[in-house]
């Protein structure tokens, strides 16, 4: 290789690296008030548990082999770290039981405040759960006289395995947990885990009580004596998903549940000894009745009390998905505390106990089974669960499930998105709520909920795509958003978190209004509205003041310049659970993927595409139509790309010509060298050659091929994907209903994507114009200049003659000469290694 070509290649390679780094920096740059990355935590990772001290603003974080304390009032201060790892003998014992080295660490899964100000800390401790006490004043774990950490068993308080579903809540200094209670993870308990030994009770070991549950959340509801003169007991609610025993189907049906126990329950005297006597559970139903879609897997629950002094204002926001959907799906439903208690006070479900499917219901004894203590029961002499009759306890043991379900319609439905965490803040005007949703790709989505209508406001990329959000904690108008490796602090309340006029207008129902500056409507800030929103479509009226063609139901037409034969996905953001429909040219090359539309571009498919979704209207039985997206498909002209594309093509052609002549020179050299060696070999004695060893001289040594890299990224489009072996250009807007950014960036990004598709039809699988080594050299240079990292391969297959004369003339002599040739050629940079392979990506198929 000549020095100029080497210099060109090195410069191009450096330019590609710099471009990739800068692009990654732009995409990963957080839109947050403050960010703490992995470098700030000094090697500590795997954050799974957050505990916030509201008075001081100190955030305690449970990690692998460590506990951290972060001052949320000043994130620039270095976090405090306590190491709590596992001794080597415990690790060896854990690995001897068949666990991996990664699992044999101490993952902190529980952080709870005690009444004396200390923090109760529990970790998996190499599959032998242990608990300790943390002194907040000195920020250190309490130790024994010998200097070792003062520990007590964590069985029943903390899971054995780091990834097991688990939840816990502290009530009056007593810990209540829902976790596995054995090493194998096959026994599940909801228990009172601390307190006096005689009062530590748990659920009955019966599939009627708990059947392979996945615990999600727990909440303690404390009754106020002034508002509840009947003297009702405090209650604890546990949310989980379990396998339904009441449904007999060919497969296991998962069902979301809510279970309730009473704080003063201490078990029965004879029946249900040291077992809950007040355990009741009911099914949660999150269903869109018009479409019949039901979401049956609960993934997260957020408890919100509108009035801190009134427990009746408590609502539980549940994050759901579906067991039956193959595509990513998320829904949000809200359940009120009063609705849950009403179901708990209703009829009991009779489960099958004989060969018959159903039996006659048993009469409900008095006092009512599962009822919490109140003033009336105490007046009758039942001041403790130990005094309940056996017939009441027997009925409770056999009837833990309620007949009725707690039903709710979804507030939000999103397809193609996996939500992992949920937090909710109320609007300042009290008329709506703002949902903060964390995704499995490090994004934070904000959704406004006003009445029956929801509006997607923002989709904020906070973290890299490989960091799922697993914690959201609200504190003084801020949201502390965490992943297993990072922490971000963002504004979570107030109109000031809406950065543009369009986003502020979409939050009109939350009491926000855009206050323009003298420079124009787009210059200004979002603040509280001076007047309450009126009747009608207030968002539509607010958007008209932004000098934008966008509207909540009147999206601007976006022109997409495409190439014939391109297959693309037109996005339509669906926030309502009701269906969406597309109006498009009459041709058969379309396919709807839920709310999105897949289009194969042809002459007949050019034209206008409009997506219309159904939303809740004034009457829930008569939904209204709302246009969500509009596109105009136009064929890309031959001059698209301009001078830059032309210059790039000229350089590419010059490199191909250079490689062609270089290949001719190398081929001539190889032909001359082989001819000389063959002439020498023909004069050797015949008995020195073996015809059998000359038949397979150079075996194939194909290197693994890497898939093509992703096309150019942008804020408005996701990566290209493959379906059924065909490249798919997926257009996913990060705006949502028009989104916060009013620019029309669809056209330019689609040109970039379509150019990659059209200019690289085989994605690196085209015909080999040149032979062997020069082909790889040319493809390396061409791919670098063209900005592609297509699949590359190297073949070491040699030319093999079939005649006996050639076999006799070659043999081992030629094999030795070829090995010598390879050693000589290995000295050149061009032949030292194959073309660089793109980073291998895991296929989703």
């Amino acid at each position: 290789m000549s020095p100029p070509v080497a210099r060109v290649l090195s410069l191009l390679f450096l330019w590609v690296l710099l471009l990739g780094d800068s692009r990654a920096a732009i995409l990963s740059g957080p839109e947050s008030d403050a960010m703490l990355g992995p470098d700030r935590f000094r090697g500590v990772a795997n954050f799974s548990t957050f505990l916030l001290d509201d008075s001081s603003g100190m955030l305690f974080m449970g990690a692998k082999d460590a506990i951290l304390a972060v001052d949320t009032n000043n994130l620039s201060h270095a976090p405090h770290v306590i190491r709590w790892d596992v001794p080597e003998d415990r690790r060896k014992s854990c690995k001897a039981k068949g666990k991996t080295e990664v699992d044999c660490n101490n993952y902190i899964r529980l952080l709870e405040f005690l009444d004396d100000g200390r923090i109760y800390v529990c970790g998996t401790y190499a599959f032998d759960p242990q608990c300790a006490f943390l002194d907040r004043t000195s920020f250190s774990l309490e130790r024994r006289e010998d200097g070792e950490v003062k520990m007590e068993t964590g069985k029943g308080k903390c899971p054995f395995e780091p990834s097991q579903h688990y939840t816990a809540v502290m009530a009056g200094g007593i810990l209540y947990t829902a976790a596995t209670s054995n090493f194998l993870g096959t026994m599940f308990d909801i228990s009172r885990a601390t307190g006096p030994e005689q009062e530590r009770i748990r659920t009955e070991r019966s599939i009627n009580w708990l059947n392979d549950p996945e615990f999600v959340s727990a909440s303690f509801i404390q009754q106020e004596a002034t508002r509840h003169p009947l003297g009702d007991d405090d209650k604890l609610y546990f949310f989980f998903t379990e396998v339904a025993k009441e449904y007999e189907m060919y497969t296991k049906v998962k069902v979301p549940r809510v279970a309730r126990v009473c704080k003063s329950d201490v078990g029965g005297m004879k029946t249900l000894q040291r077992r809950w006597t007040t355990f009741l559970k009911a099914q949660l139903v999150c269903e869109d009745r018009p479409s019949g879609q039901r979401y049956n897997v609960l993934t997260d629950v957020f408890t919100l009390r509108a009035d801190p002094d009134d427990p009746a204002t408590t609502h539980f926001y549940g994050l759901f998905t579906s067991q039956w959907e193959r595509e990513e799906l998320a829904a949000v439903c809200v359940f009120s505390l009063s609705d849950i208690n009403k179901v708990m006070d209703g009829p009991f479900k009779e489960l099958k106990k004989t060969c018959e499917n159903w039996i006659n219901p048993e009469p409900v004894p008095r006092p009512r089974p599962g009822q919490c203590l109140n003033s009336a029961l105490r007046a009758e002499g039942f001041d403790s669960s130990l005094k309940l009759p056996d017939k009441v306890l027997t009925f409770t043991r056999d009837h833990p499930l309620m007949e009725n379900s707690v039903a709710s319609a979804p507030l939000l439905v999103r397809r193609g998105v996996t939500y992992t965490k949920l937090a909710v803040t109320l609007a300042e005007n009290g008329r709506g709520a703002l949902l903060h949703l964390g995704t499995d790709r490090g994004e934070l989505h904000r959704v406004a909920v006003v009445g029956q209508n929801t509006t997607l406001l923002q989709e904020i990329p906070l973290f890299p795509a490989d960091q799922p959000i697993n914690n959201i904690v609200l504190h003084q108008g801020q949201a502390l958003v965490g992943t297993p490796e990072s922490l971000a602090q963002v504004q979570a309340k107030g109109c000031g978190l809406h950065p543009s006029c369009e986003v502020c207008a979409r939050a009109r129902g939350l009491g926000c209004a855009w206050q323009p500056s003298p420079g124009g409507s787009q210059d200004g800030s979002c603040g509280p509205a001076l007047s309450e929103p009126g009747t009608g479509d207030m968002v539509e009226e607010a958007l008209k003041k932004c000098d934008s063609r966008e509207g909540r139901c009147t999206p601007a037409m976006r022109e997409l310049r495409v190439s014939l034969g391109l297959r693309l996905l037109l996005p339509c953001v669906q926030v309502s659970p009701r269906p969406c429909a597309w109006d498009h040219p009459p041709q058969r090359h379309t396919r709807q993927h839920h709310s999105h539309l897949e289009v194969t571009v042809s002459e007949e498919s050019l034209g206008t595409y409009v997506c219309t979704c159904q939303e809740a209207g004034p009457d829930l039985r008569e939904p209204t139509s709302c246009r969500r997206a509009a596109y105009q498909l136009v064929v890309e002209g031959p001059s698209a790309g301009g001078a830059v594309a032309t210059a790039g093509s000229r350089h590419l052609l010059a490199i191909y010509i250079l490689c062609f002549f270089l290949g001719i020179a190398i081929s001539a050299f190889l032909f001359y060298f082989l001819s000389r060696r063959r002439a020498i070999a023909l004069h050797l004695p015949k008995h020195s050659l073996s015809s059998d060893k000359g038949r397979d001289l150079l075996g194939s040594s194909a290197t693994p091929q890497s898939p093509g890299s992703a096309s150019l990224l942008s804020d408005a489009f996701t990566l290209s994907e493959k379906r059924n072996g065909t490249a798919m250009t997926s257009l996913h807007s990060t705006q949502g209903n028009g989104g916060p950014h009013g620019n029309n960036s669809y056209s330019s990004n689609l040109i970039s994507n379509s150019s990659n598709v059209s200019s690289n039809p085989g994605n690196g699988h085209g015909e080999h114009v040149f032979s062997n080594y020069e082909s790889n050299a040319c493809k390396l240079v061409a791919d670098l200049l063209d900005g592609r990292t297509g699949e590359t391969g190297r073949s070491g297959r040699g030319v093999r003659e079939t005649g006996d004369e050639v076999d006799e003339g070659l043999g081992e002599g030629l094999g030795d000469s070829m090995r010598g040739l390879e050693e000589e050629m290995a000295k050149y940079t061009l032949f030292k290694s194959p073309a660089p392979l793109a980073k291998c990506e895991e296929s989703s198929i």
Side-chain angles (χ1 to χ4, degrees), residues 57-104:
M58 190 67 69
L59 178 67
F60 300 93
M61 306 166 63
K64 184 181 74 172
D65 298 328
I67 307 163
L68 287 84
V70 177
D71 187 3
T72 60
N73 298 319
N74 192 348
L75 292 183
S76 61
H77 290 174
H80 303 283
V81 181
I82 297 178
R83 294 284 180 176
W84 186 22
D85 52 9
V86 182
E88 188 60 30
D89 58 340
R90 292 287 189 99
R91 294 180 188 272
K92 293 180 179 179
S93 176
C94 174
K95 290 186 285 187
K97 296 177 183 179
K99 302 303 177 182
T100 64
E101 186 175 356
V102 175
D103 291 336
C104 294

Side-chain angles (χ1 to χ4, degrees), residues 580-592:
C580 298
W582 284 84
D583 293 330
H584 54 78
Q587 49 89 30
R588 296 179 296 175
H589 301 292
T590 60
R591 181 182 178 185
Q592 187 165 342

Side-chain angles (χ1 to χ4, degrees), residues 1 4 30 64 74 160 195 290 300 391 406 455 519 558 713 786:
M1 182 182 299
K64 184 181 74 172
N74 192 348
F160 287 75
D300 191 31
K391 63 177 181 179
V406 188
T455 304
R558 291 174 172 83
L713 301 177
D786 197 26

Side-chain angles (χ1 to χ4, degrees), residues 34-36 41 46-50 59 61 420-421 438-444 462-463 467-474 479-490:
M35 170 73 72
L36 294 180
F41 294 113
N46 295 98
F47 306 120
S48 60
T49 307
F50 282 12
L59 178 67
M61 306 166 63
T420 55
K421 293 298 293 185
T439 73
D440 63 339
R441 296 183 59 81
E443 296 178 343
L444 181 66
L462 287 179
F463 307 99
Q467 294 190 28
I469 292 176
N470 60 359
N471 278 288
I472 301 179
V473 177
L474 301 177
L480 301 169
V481 185
T483 73
E485 299 180 12
S486 305
L487 174 69
Q489 185 181 48
V490 298

Side-chain angles (χ1 to χ4, degrees), residues 165-167 178 188 190 209-217 238-244 252-259 281-284 295-301 319-323:
H165 296 275
Y166 160 78
T167 186
F188 306 91
I190 295 177
W209 285 45
L210 294 173
N211 188 15
D212 196 14
E214 297 177 358
F215 300 113
V216 174
S217 179
F238 294 87
F239 297 87
F240 56 95
T241 301
E242 70 172 350
V243 177
K252 293 182 179 180
V253 179
K254 293 184 177 182
V255 173
R257 306 279 201 202
V258 55
K281 64 180 182 179
Q283 180 177 348
L284 298 174
Y295 311 94
N296 66 325
V297 178
L298 184 64
T299 58
D300 191 31
V301 174
L319 184 60
F320 292 83
T321 184
S322 176
Q323 175 186 3

Side-chain angles (χ1 to χ4, degrees), residues 79 118 143 161 171 315 344 355 375 420 423 481 531 579 587 684 826:
R118 297 179 299 172
R143 297 183 178 272
E161 188 174 355
H315 287 79
M344 296 295 183
C355 296
S375 300
T420 55
V481 185
S531 61
Q587 49 89 30
L684 294 176

Side-chain angles (χ1 to χ4, degrees), residues 521-539:
S521 61
Q522 294 298 326
D523 298 328
S525 61
C526 187
L530 300 179
S531 61
E532 289 296 324
T535 59
D537 196 345
M538 47 196 173
V539 175

